[in-house]
Amino acid sequence: MIKAVFFYLGGLLVESQISSMSKYIANMFNVKPKQMEESIVKHRAKVQRGTGTEEEMWINVCKELDIAVPNKPFREIYDEAWDEGYKEFPETIAIAKKLKEKGYKIGVISNSEKKTINSTKKIDRLISMFDYSVLSYNYGLRANEQNGKLFKYTSKVSKVKDEEVLIILGKPKTNRLSVVESLGLEKEGKHYKFKNSKLRAIICPTTKKLISNLKDFDIKI
């Protein structure tokens, strides 16, 4: 019996913003958005693990792209870029609220930077709606590292058994197989489970599909 449902943040509850943020920042420095995105993804990994600072990340990005470090604090630039591309998916958020109303514990999982969560009111407000949060910087690793080890903290924070947790992932932006492999997932019937664990997961491309998939676990909205 499922007692806790965890939603992955980017691509499911909100639009995955790396492309829109990178484009906004790239336009400020007259560089190609693709180059900016690749550099930010590369250098913010340490920040998301909680092992590096945003200042170090920004210096590395500027050095790699051969642009001058701006006088304006990077946090201000990042917040502006975040707000520019911020978009919630109200249908999925509504499902999370209904689950909570029905007595399920709900949680959120994300690769996140601590300052982004703390300084961005929109995302802070959204996350506060959930009972639990598993954020990468608190655990020293990101979702796609160590065979999805980050997801395995969900049962610990919600204080239920692995088999009582259901994790919901958004539609992969890249090849589904590569995403499944990087998260340490393996097929179990119509859905997935994490290797060496009883944690189960759904990959949902649409809200309608999500409602249908939840029924497979005897969860009715």
PDB file of all heavy atoms in Angstrom, residues 47-73:
ATOM      1  N   VAL A  47      27.606  22.857  -7.211  1.00  0.00           N
ATOM      2  CA  VAL A  47      26.696  23.675  -6.406  1.00  0.00           C
ATOM      3  C   VAL A  47      25.477  22.847  -6.016  1.00  0.00           C
ATOM      4  O   VAL A  47      24.994  22.912  -4.882  1.00  0.00           O
ATOM      5  CB  VAL A  47      26.262  24.945  -7.172  1.00  0.00           C
ATOM      6  CG1 VAL A  47      25.432  25.854  -6.271  1.00  0.00           C
ATOM      7  CG2 VAL A  47      27.477  25.702  -7.690  1.00  0.00           C
ATOM      8  N   GLN A  48      24.979  22.049  -6.955  1.00  0.00           N
ATOM      9  CA  GLN A  48      23.811  21.217  -6.672  1.00  0.00           C
ATOM     10  C   GLN A  48      24.129  20.107  -5.682  1.00  0.00           C
ATOM     11  O   GLN A  48      23.247  19.630  -4.974  1.00  0.00           O
ATOM     12  CB  GLN A  48      23.263  20.631  -7.973  1.00  0.00           C
ATOM     13  CG  GLN A  48      22.630  21.680  -8.876  1.00  0.00           C
ATOM     14  CD  GLN A  48      22.062  21.095 -10.148  1.00  0.00           C
ATOM     15  OE1 GLN A  48      22.560  20.091 -10.665  1.00  0.00           O
ATOM     16  NE2 GLN A  48      21.020  21.710 -10.667  1.00  0.00           N
ATOM     17  N   ARG A  49      25.397  19.712  -5.632  1.00  0.00           N
ATOM     18  CA  ARG A  49      25.801  18.710  -4.641  1.00  0.00           C
ATOM     19  C   ARG A  49      26.092  19.350  -3.287  1.00  0.00           C
ATOM     20  O   ARG A  49      26.294  18.649  -2.299  1.00  0.00           O
ATOM     21  CB  ARG A  49      27.063  17.973  -5.103  1.00  0.00           C
ATOM     22  CG  ARG A  49      26.912  17.137  -6.352  1.00  0.00           C
ATOM     23  CD  ARG A  49      28.170  16.312  -6.592  1.00  0.00           C
ATOM     24  NE  ARG A  49      28.220  15.815  -7.952  1.00  0.00           N
ATOM     25  CZ  ARG A  49      29.027  16.293  -8.904  1.00  0.00           C
ATOM     26  NH1 ARG A  49      29.871  17.278  -8.610  1.00  0.00           N
ATOM     27  NH2 ARG A  49      29.006  15.799 -10.113  1.00  0.00           N
ATOM     28  N   GLY A  50      26.160  20.685  -3.272  1.00  0.00           N
ATOM     29  CA  GLY A  50      26.488  21.377  -2.034  1.00  0.00           C
ATOM     30  C   GLY A  50      27.971  21.381  -1.740  1.00  0.00           C
ATOM     31  O   GLY A  50      28.396  21.653  -0.614  1.00  0.00           O
ATOM     32  N   THR A  51      28.798  21.101  -2.765  1.00  0.00           N
ATOM     33  CA  THR A  51      30.248  21.033  -2.563  1.00  0.00           C
ATOM     34  C   THR A  51      30.989  22.195  -3.212  1.00  0.00           C
ATOM     35  O   THR A  51      32.217  22.247  -3.180  1.00  0.00           O
ATOM     36  CB  THR A  51      30.814  19.713  -3.123  1.00  0.00           C
ATOM     37  OG1 THR A  51      30.496  19.619  -4.526  1.00  0.00           O
ATOM     38  CG2 THR A  51      30.217  18.517  -2.396  1.00  0.00           C
ATOM     39  N   GLY A  52      30.259  23.118  -3.819  1.00  0.00           N
ATOM     40  CA  GLY A  52      30.872  24.283  -4.449  1.00  0.00           C
ATOM     41  C   GLY A  52      29.981  25.496  -4.269  1.00  0.00           C
ATOM     42  O   GLY A  52      28.818  25.372  -3.873  1.00  0.00           O
ATOM     43  N   THR A  53      30.518  26.676  -4.560  1.00  0.00           N
ATOM     44  CA  THR A  53      29.743  27.906  -4.399  1.00  0.00           C
ATOM     45  C   THR A  53      29.309  28.446  -5.756  1.00  0.00           C
ATOM     46  O   THR A  53      29.911  28.130  -6.792  1.00  0.00           O
ATOM     47  CB  THR A  53      30.566  28.991  -3.691  1.00  0.00           C
ATOM     48  OG1 THR A  53      31.650  29.411  -4.551  1.00  0.00           O
ATOM     49  CG2 THR A  53      31.129  28.467  -2.377  1.00  0.00           C
ATOM     50  N   GLU A  54      28.288  29.282  -5.738  1.00  0.00           N
ATOM     51  CA  GLU A  54      27.832  29.906  -6.975  1.00  0.00           C
ATOM     52  C   GLU A  54      28.894  30.847  -7.534  1.00  0.00           C
ATOM     53  O   GLU A  54      29.026  30.991  -8.750  1.00  0.00           O
ATOM     54  CB  GLU A  54      26.533  30.669  -6.726  1.00  0.00           C
ATOM     55  CG  GLU A  54      25.346  29.760  -6.485  1.00  0.00           C
ATOM     56  CD  GLU A  54      24.046  30.525  -6.418  1.00  0.00           C
ATOM     57  OE1 GLU A  54      24.089  31.760  -6.252  1.00  0.00           O
ATOM     58  OE2 GLU A  54      22.990  29.891  -6.541  1.00  0.00           O
ATOM     59  N   GLU A  55      29.624  31.496  -6.649  1.00  0.00           N
ATOM     60  CA  GLU A  55      30.672  32.410  -7.095  1.00  0.00           C
ATOM     61  C   GLU A  55      31.737  31.656  -7.893  1.00  0.00           C
ATOM     62  O   GLU A  55      32.190  32.110  -8.950  1.00  0.00           O
ATOM     63  CB  GLU A  55      31.308  33.110  -5.887  1.00  0.00           C
ATOM     64  CG  GLU A  55      30.394  34.112  -5.180  1.00  0.00           C
ATOM     65  CD  GLU A  55      29.291  33.457  -4.357  1.00  0.00           C
ATOM     66  OE1 GLU A  55      29.428  32.251  -4.021  1.00  0.00           O
ATOM     67  OE2 GLU A  55      28.297  34.137  -4.061  1.00  0.00           O
ATOM     68  N   GLU A  56      32.129  30.480  -7.392  1.00  0.00           N
ATOM     69  CA  GLU A  56      33.110  29.648  -8.101  1.00  0.00           C
ATOM     70  C   GLU A  56      32.557  29.197  -9.445  1.00  0.00           C
ATOM     71  O   GLU A  56      33.269  29.204 -10.455  1.00  0.00           O
ATOM     72  CB  GLU A  56      33.465  28.426  -7.254  1.00  0.00           C
ATOM     73  CG  GLU A  56      34.238  28.752  -5.984  1.00  0.00           C
ATOM     74  CD  GLU A  56      34.342  27.566  -5.048  1.00  0.00           C
ATOM     75  OE1 GLU A  56      33.545  26.603  -5.197  1.00  0.00           O
ATOM     76  OE2 GLU A  56      35.208  27.595  -4.163  1.00  0.00           O
ATOM     77  N   MET A  57      31.301  28.821  -9.451  1.00  0.00           N
ATOM     78  CA  MET A  57      30.663  28.382 -10.687  1.00  0.00           C
ATOM     79  C   MET A  57      30.678  29.487 -11.732  1.00  0.00           C
ATOM     80  O   MET A  57      31.039  29.267 -12.893  1.00  0.00           O
ATOM     81  CB  MET A  57      29.216  27.975 -10.392  1.00  0.00           C
ATOM     82  CG  MET A  57      28.343  27.807 -11.632  1.00  0.00           C
ATOM     83  SD  MET A  57      26.603  27.637 -11.200  1.00  0.00           S
ATOM     84  CE  MET A  57      25.847  28.372 -12.637  1.00  0.00           C
ATOM     85  N   TRP A  58      30.308  30.688 -11.318  1.00  0.00           N
ATOM     86  CA  TRP A  58      30.217  31.800 -12.254  1.00  0.00           C
ATOM     87  C   TRP A  58      31.587  32.170 -12.813  1.00  0.00           C
ATOM     88  O   TRP A  58      31.736  32.443 -14.002  1.00  0.00           O
ATOM     89  CB  TRP A  58      29.577  32.991 -11.561  1.00  0.00           C
ATOM     90  CG  TRP A  58      29.233  34.149 -12.452  1.00  0.00           C
ATOM     91  CD1 TRP A  58      29.582  35.441 -12.266  1.00  0.00           C
ATOM     92  CD2 TRP A  58      28.468  34.118 -13.656  1.00  0.00           C
ATOM     93  NE1 TRP A  58      29.081  36.223 -13.278  1.00  0.00           N
ATOM     94  CE2 TRP A  58      28.391  35.429 -14.149  1.00  0.00           C
ATOM     95  CE3 TRP A  58      27.833  33.098 -14.367  1.00  0.00           C
ATOM     96  CZ2 TRP A  58      27.722  35.762 -15.315  1.00  0.00           C
ATOM     97  CZ3 TRP A  58      27.159  33.430 -15.540  1.00  0.00           C
ATOM     98  CH2 TRP A  58      27.106  34.740 -15.996  1.00  0.00           C
ATOM     99  N   ILE A  59      32.603  32.162 -11.967  1.00  0.00           N
ATOM    100  CA  ILE A  59      33.969  32.447 -12.421  1.00  0.00           C
ATOM    101  C   ILE A  59      34.405  31.412 -13.458  1.00  0.00           C
ATOM    102  O   ILE A  59      35.005  31.750 -14.487  1.00  0.00           O
ATOM    103  CB  ILE A  59      34.945  32.461 -11.222  1.00  0.00           C
ATOM    104  CG1 ILE A  59      34.685  33.705 -10.361  1.00  0.00           C
ATOM    105  CG2 ILE A  59      36.400  32.433 -11.698  1.00  0.00           C
ATOM    106  CD1 ILE A  59      35.437  33.712  -9.046  1.00  0.00           C
ATOM    107  N   ASN A  60      34.071  30.147 -13.209  1.00  0.00           N
ATOM    108  CA  ASN A  60      34.440  29.083 -14.148  1.00  0.00           C
ATOM    109  C   ASN A  60      33.698  29.210 -15.476  1.00  0.00           C
ATOM    110  O   ASN A  60      34.266  28.967 -16.546  1.00  0.00           O
ATOM    111  CB  ASN A  60      34.160  27.717 -13.523  1.00  0.00           C
ATOM    112  CG  ASN A  60      35.130  27.372 -12.412  1.00  0.00           C
ATOM    113  OD1 ASN A  60      36.277  27.821 -12.424  1.00  0.00           O
ATOM    114  ND2 ASN A  60      34.683  26.589 -11.444  1.00  0.00           N
ATOM    115  N   VAL A  61      32.421  29.590 -15.409  1.00  0.00           N
ATOM    116  CA  VAL A  61      31.636  29.784 -16.635  1.00  0.00           C
ATOM    117  C   VAL A  61      32.229  30.922 -17.460  1.00  0.00           C
ATOM    118  O   VAL A  61      32.416  30.800 -18.677  1.00  0.00           O
ATOM    119  CB  VAL A  61      30.152  30.073 -16.300  1.00  0.00           C
ATOM    120  CG1 VAL A  61      29.401  30.564 -17.541  1.00  0.00           C
ATOM    121  CG2 VAL A  61      29.476  28.826 -15.744  1.00  0.00           C
ATOM    122  N   CYS A  62      32.519  32.032 -16.802  1.00  0.00           N
ATOM    123  CA  CYS A  62      33.084  33.193 -17.503  1.00  0.00           C
ATOM    124  C   CYS A  62      34.439  32.860 -18.120  1.00  0.00           C
ATOM    125  O   CYS A  62      34.738  33.254 -19.254  1.00  0.00           O
ATOM    126  CB  CYS A  62      33.223  34.375 -16.545  1.00  0.00           C
ATOM    127  SG  CYS A  62      31.638  35.086 -16.040  1.00  0.00           S
ATOM    128  N   LYS A  63      35.246  32.129 -17.382  1.00  0.00           N
ATOM    129  CA  LYS A  63      36.569  31.746 -17.879  1.00  0.00           C
ATOM    130  C   LYS A  63      36.450  30.834 -19.090  1.00  0.00           C
ATOM    131  O   LYS A  63      37.152  31.011 -20.091  1.00  0.00           O
ATOM    132  CB  LYS A  63      37.354  31.050 -16.766  1.00  0.00           C
ATOM    133  CG  LYS A  63      38.773  30.667 -17.148  1.00  0.00           C
ATOM    134  CD  LYS A  63      39.498  30.033 -15.965  1.00  0.00           C
ATOM    135  CE  LYS A  63      40.927  29.651 -16.354  1.00  0.00           C
ATOM    136  NZ  LYS A  63      41.644  29.031 -15.198  1.00  0.00           N
ATOM    137  N   GLU A  64      35.549  29.871 -19.010  1.00  0.00           N
ATOM    138  CA  GLU A  64      35.380  28.910 -20.097  1.00  0.00           C
ATOM    139  C   GLU A  64      34.852  29.575 -21.366  1.00  0.00           C
ATOM    140  O   GLU A  64      35.251  29.219 -22.481  1.00  0.00           O
ATOM    141  CB  GLU A  64      34.429  27.797 -19.659  1.00  0.00           C
ATOM    142  CG  GLU A  64      34.274  26.669 -20.667  1.00  0.00           C
ATOM    143  CD  GLU A  64      33.535  25.482 -20.072  1.00  0.00           C
ATOM    144  OE1 GLU A  64      32.292  25.553 -19.977  1.00  0.00           O
ATOM    145  OE2 GLU A  64      34.198  24.505 -19.699  1.00  0.00           O
ATOM    146  N   LEU A  65      33.952  30.558 -21.200  1.00  0.00           N
ATOM    147  CA  LEU A  65      33.343  31.219 -22.356  1.00  0.00           C
ATOM    148  C   LEU A  65      34.073  32.503 -22.751  1.00  0.00           C
ATOM    149  O   LEU A  65      33.651  33.193 -23.679  1.00  0.00           O
ATOM    150  CB  LEU A  65      31.872  31.526 -22.058  1.00  0.00           C
ATOM    151  CG  LEU A  65      30.980  30.310 -21.775  1.00  0.00           C
ATOM    152  CD1 LEU A  65      29.554  30.753 -21.490  1.00  0.00           C
ATOM    153  CD2 LEU A  65      31.008  29.319 -22.936  1.00  0.00           C
ATOM    154  N   ASP A  66      35.136  32.804 -22.014  1.00  0.00           N
ATOM    155  CA  ASP A  66      35.959  33.985 -22.302  1.00  0.00           C
ATOM    156  C   ASP A  66      35.132  35.273 -22.256  1.00  0.00           C
ATOM    157  O   ASP A  66      35.152  36.086 -23.185  1.00  0.00           O
ATOM    158  CB  ASP A  66      36.638  33.842 -23.674  1.00  0.00           C
ATOM    159  CG  ASP A  66      37.759  34.863 -23.868  1.00  0.00           C
ATOM    160  OD1 ASP A  66      38.321  35.314 -22.854  1.00  0.00           O
ATOM    161  OD2 ASP A  66      38.048  35.212 -25.033  1.00  0.00           O
ATOM    162  N   ILE A  67      34.389  35.440 -21.170  1.00  0.00           N
ATOM    163  CA  ILE A  67      33.621  36.668 -20.959  1.00  0.00           C
ATOM    164  C   ILE A  67      34.020  37.265 -19.612  1.00  0.00           C
ATOM    165  O   ILE A  67      34.492  36.556 -18.716  1.00  0.00           O
ATOM    166  CB  ILE A  67      32.094  36.421 -20.983  1.00  0.00           C
ATOM    167  CG1 ILE A  67      31.685  35.371 -19.942  1.00  0.00           C
ATOM    168  CG2 ILE A  67      31.640  35.998 -22.367  1.00  0.00           C
ATOM    169  CD1 ILE A  67      30.192  35.095 -19.884  1.00  0.00           C
ATOM    170  N   ALA A  68      33.838  38.563 -19.483  1.00  0.00           N
ATOM    171  CA  ALA A  68      34.232  39.246 -18.253  1.00  0.00           C
ATOM    172  C   ALA A  68      33.258  38.916 -17.125  1.00  0.00           C
ATOM    173  O   ALA A  68      32.044  38.834 -17.343  1.00  0.00           O
ATOM    174  CB  ALA A  68      34.267  40.752 -18.484  1.00  0.00           C
ATOM    175  N   VAL A  69      33.789  38.722 -15.928  1.00  0.00           N
ATOM    176  CA  VAL A  69      32.932  38.512 -14.763  1.00  0.00           C
ATOM    177  C   VAL A  69      32.160  39.804 -14.510  1.00  0.00           C
ATOM    178  O   VAL A  69      32.763  40.872 -14.373  1.00  0.00           O
ATOM    179  CB  VAL A  69      33.765  38.146 -13.518  1.00  0.00           C
ATOM    180  CG1 VAL A  69      32.862  38.018 -12.293  1.00  0.00           C
ATOM    181  CG2 VAL A  69      34.531  36.852 -13.751  1.00  0.00           C
ATOM    182  N   PRO A  70      30.834  39.763 -14.492  1.00  0.00           N
ATOM    183  CA  PRO A  70      30.043  40.994 -14.363  1.00  0.00           C
ATOM    184  C   PRO A  70      30.139  41.613 -12.970  1.00  0.00           C
ATOM    185  O   PRO A  70      30.413  40.924 -11.983  1.00  0.00           O
ATOM    186  CB  PRO A  70      28.620  40.511 -14.643  1.00  0.00           C
ATOM    187  CG  PRO A  70      28.630  39.082 -14.204  1.00  0.00           C
ATOM    188  CD  PRO A  70      29.988  38.568 -14.577  1.00  0.00           C
ATOM    189  N   ASN A  71      29.908  42.907 -12.913  1.00  0.00           N
ATOM    190  CA  ASN A  71      29.879  43.595 -11.624  1.00  0.00           C
ATOM    191  C   ASN A  71      28.615  43.240 -10.847  1.00  0.00           C
ATOM    192  O   ASN A  71      28.605  43.205  -9.626  1.00  0.00           O
ATOM    193  CB  ASN A  71      29.944  45.113 -11.829  1.00  0.00           C
ATOM    194  CG  ASN A  71      31.282  45.552 -12.400  1.00  0.00           C
ATOM    195  OD1 ASN A  71      32.315  44.987 -12.059  1.00  0.00           O
ATOM    196  ND2 ASN A  71      31.262  46.540 -13.277  1.00  0.00           N
ATOM    197  N   LYS A  72      27.557  42.963 -11.582  1.00  0.00           N
ATOM    198  CA  LYS A  72      26.289  42.611 -10.955  1.00  0.00           C
ATOM    199  C   LYS A  72      26.408  41.232 -10.309  1.00  0.00           C
ATOM    200  O   LYS A  72      26.908  40.291 -10.936  1.00  0.00           O
ATOM    201  CB  LYS A  72      25.184  42.593 -12.017  1.00  0.00           C
ATOM    202  CG  LYS A  72      23.776  42.506 -11.464  1.00  0.00           C
ATOM    203  CD  LYS A  72      22.770  42.657 -12.608  1.00  0.00           C
ATOM    204  CE  LYS A  72      21.354  42.746 -12.093  1.00  0.00           C
ATOM    205  NZ  LYS A  72      20.383  42.946 -13.198  1.00  0.00           N
ATOM    206  N   PRO A  73      25.974  41.077  -9.063  1.00  0.00           N
ATOM    207  CA  PRO A  73      26.061  39.767  -8.403  1.00  0.00           C
ATOM    208  C   PRO A  73      25.382  38.674  -9.222  1.00  0.00           C
ATOM    209  O   PRO A  73      24.281  38.872  -9.751  1.00  0.00           O
ATOM    210  CB  PRO A  73      25.336  39.995  -7.074  1.00  0.00           C
ATOM    211  CG  PRO A  73      25.463  41.458  -6.821  1.00  0.00           C
ATOM    212  CD  PRO A  73      25.389  42.097  -8.181  1.00  0.00           C
TER     213      PRO A  73
END
